[in-house]
Amino acid sequence: MHYSGAVYRPPSEARSLIVQCTLGCSHNKCAFCTMYKDKKFSINPIEQVLSDLDEARAYGRYIEKIFLADGDALILPMDYLLTVLDYIRDHFPTCKRVAAYATAKAIMRKTDDELRTLREHGLGIVYIGLESGNEELLKKFCKGVTAEEIVLNAIRCKQAGIATSVTAINGMAGANGDWQAHAIDTAKAVSRMKPDYIAFLTLRVYSGTPLHDWIASGEFKMMEPPELMRETRLFLEHIDSDGSIFRSNHASNYLPLGGTLNRDREALIHTIDEALDGKVRLRRAVELGL
């Protein structure tokens, strides 16, 4: 198998066969991200990808899911994608789902008919990074697209029959920013998309990023766990995405949460309230020397 540099995949693709169709990310400018800074975006030769699939098949392993890496495989031309998808369908009879990351710009390059064709040939789910529904924050973090563009193109994928998993980032406004607007605007955007899955991650800092520089200069202040929980609570209060599976149980999250919206909204909020109450009681105990 050919792998170049660090390889990333969503947590739900942990047991998937990962095949690198592209190297890096076609955008690669987000102010919080270092995932693909070690490589320049390029497309791997189709012959190499098919060879990798052949090698994986030769191992005789039961393969149920395949993830097309790297950061934005949907940017690939239709003939490339269809060749890979058809090869998987013909040579991996046990494969139930093919997945890929997808930026809004990549989806925009595909017509509605092309998206439906990709679904018909086996593309089952795309992972879309919303990060925030707040337009000012997306500009600040150099996302390269607007919240409106992300929303509309996620909807197009769903209309084509492709499942969507949307990621938002807890703490993206910072403790000294308008975190209420971030929470509410993100809830509104997700409510419009009504994705199959919602992943709420927590902002992390990596050296070499603009975010790291903002923190060093005092421009940006990271949120503390109680503040992050209050932001999540506000997000949940404003979201209306019935049937979406909500997860906030990534390694970056301080309080693991999981449920199905809108059914479990009150239970999720109750869990946050209990955690916040525990934080308050612990702080009081420390202050009193107990």
Side-chain angles (χ1 to χ4, degrees):
M1 301 288 292
H2 296 86
Y3 293 111
S4 177
V7 179
Y8 299 92
R9 47 83 183 157
S12 56
E13 300 294 331
R15 297 183 179 274
S16 301
L17 168 65
I18 300 177
V19 182
Q20 267 186 321
C21 295
T22 66
L23 296 182
C25 171
S26 60
H27 179 61
N28 208 21
K29 296 176 183 176
C30 293
F32 55 82
C33 183
T34 60
M35 283 171 58
Y36 301 109
K37 297 302 183 185
D38 63 334
K39 42 187 152 178
K40 183 179 179 180
F41 179 78
S42 62
I43 297 174
N44 278 332
I46 187 71
E47 297 79 12
Q48 177 178 305
V49 174
L50 300 184
S51 174
D52 285 344
L53 288 169
D54 280 339
E55 184 176 344
R57 187 162 57 99
Y59 293 142
R61 175 186 157 209
Y62 179 85
I63 295 174
E64 191 172 277
K65 297 192 296 182
I66 296 177
F67 181 74
L68 307 181
D70 266 334
D72 188 15
L74 206 69
I75 201 78
L76 290 163
M78 280 295 291
D79 58 348
Y80 189 117
L81 285 168
L82 292 178
T83 297
V84 173
L85 290 171
D86 289 347
Y87 200 84
I88 291 171
R89 180 188 59 196
D90 294 341
H91 295 84
F92 292 83
T94 59
C95 183
K96 298 179 180 178
R97 188 181 80 183
V98 180
Y101 285 127
T103 63
K105 283 185 178 180
I107 302 169
M108 289 163 64
R109 291 164 64 104
K110 302 291 188 283
T111 66
D112 291 344
D113 285 342
E114 286 175 332
L115 290 174
R116 282 190 291 269
T117 298
L118 290 173
R119 178 65 191 97
E120 290 165 0
H121 286 251
L123 182 63
I125 184 171
V126 290
Y127 295 86
I128 301 170
L130 169 66
E131 328 311 3
S132 177
N134 183 269
E135 299 290 6
E136 292 304 313
L137 278 178
L138 294 182
K139 288 179 184 177
K140 179 179 178 64
F141 279 84
C142 302
K143 183 68 180 175
V145 288
T146 65
E148 184 69 11
E149 288 171 328
I150 299 170
V151 168
L152 292 178
N153 284 284
I155 292 171
R156 289 181 61 229
C157 286
K158 283 208 70 176
Q159 291 174 337
I162 301 171
T164 55
S165 179
V166 172
T167 300
I169 299 180
N170 196 191
M172 195 165 166
N176 54 341
D178 192 348
W179 62 268
Q180 294 96 334
H182 168 51
I184 294 171
D185 290 347
T186 303
K188 289 179 179 178
V190 174
S191 297
R192 289 176 60 198
M193 290 186 279
K194 290 185 168 46
D196 299 89
Y197 304 92
I198 303 166
F200 216 56
L201 310 183
T202 299
L203 185 68
R204 293 196 285 188
V205 188
Y206 299 97
S207 60
T209 62
L211 174 61
H212 182 273
D213 296 338
W214 299 340
I215 293 170
S217 69
E219 178 184 344
F220 190 98
K221 182 181 178 183
M222 294 290 286
M223 297 177 79
E224 297 294 331
E227 297 170 316
L228 292 165
M229 285 187 270
R230 292 187 188 97
E231 183 180 276
T232 302
R233 190 187 197 284
L234 187 60
F235 170 84
L236 289 169
E237 285 178 346
H238 286 83
I239 195 169
D240 178 13
S241 190
D242 197 40
S244 296
I245 296 173
F246 175 81
R247 293 287 184 268
S248 184
N249 56 1
H250 185 261
S252 65
N253 298 126
Y254 292 95
L255 177 66
L257 295 170
T260 300
L261 299 172
N262 295 325
R263 183 192 69 195
D264 299 328
R265 183 210 317 274
E266 294 307 316
L268 292 166
I269 290 175
H270 179 69
T271 299
I272 294 172
D273 288 342
E274 283 191 325
L276 286 170
D277 183 57
K279 290 277 187 183
V280 171
R281 285 188 278 111
L282 176 61
R283 187 175 68 248
R284 286 175 179 170
V286 171
E287 290 172 351
L288 294 172
L290 299 178

